Amino acid sequence: MTQPPHDTEETTNEKLDAQDASPTVKAIKALESYRKKEPLKIVVRFKAVGNAPIMKQNFYKINSTNRFQAVIQFLRRELGWQASEPLFTYINLAFSPAPDDTVSNLFKMFATDGHLIVNYSTTAAWG
């Protein structure tokens, strides 16, 4: 009569370690691939809306870790506008992002053809 193979303590521990490590390893790999896909610089395309002046150059590379407030300040500087002059910004003609949103998060969620499209206006264009 043959005995069924029995697991030794070492074999059982190896199986448990493999089971425990599998989700952890997958999670680490997923995080690494997520980090690799994030570009250091993001192409931002500025589009005028309404009576806002059109910029001569409308494509700029901006650091992905910047807050959207930095994009607003950059746009003001390029247009030569003071802080007291009205400037309304929108993403994809849809909504106005919060100044503390990161450019990276906005790009991940709302990128179009590899660009983050920022529309700007001197008056409130939507809502």
Side-chain angles (χ1 to χ4, degrees), residues 7-28:
D7 290 335
T8 63
E9 185 177 334
E10 186 176 320
T11 306
T12 304
N13 286 341
E14 288 174 1
K15 287 181 182 178
L16 289 175
D17 288 342
Q19 289 173 352
D20 290 341
S22 180
T24 304
V25 169
K26 288 180 182 177
I28 290 171

Side-chain angles (χ1 to χ4, degrees), residues 94-108:
F95 73 98
S96 184
D100 65 341
D101 283 336
T102 62
V103 174
S104 175
N105 286 342
L106 291 169
F107 178 78
K108 287 176 193 172

Side-chain angles (χ1 to χ4, degrees), residues 57-74:
Q57 178 184 345
N58 59 358
F59 287 93
Y60 292 92
K61 287 186 177 182
I62 296 179
N63 194 338
S64 65
T65 58
N66 282 344
R67 302 260 181 233
F68 192 71
Q69 178 64 38
V71 174
I72 295 170
Q73 290 171 342
F74 174 80

Side-chain angles (χ1 to χ4, degrees), residues 23-52:
T24 304
V25 169
K26 288 180 182 177
I28 290 171
K29 287 181 180 179
L31 285 172
E32 288 174 356
S33 67
Y34 182 75
R35 288 183 187 143
K36 287 179 185 176
K37 291 180 182 177
E38 185 174 309
L40 296 175
K41 296 273 187 171
I42 291 175
V43 177
V44 177
R45 181 177 183 186
F46 294 104
K47 288 186 174 182
V49 175
N51 64 349

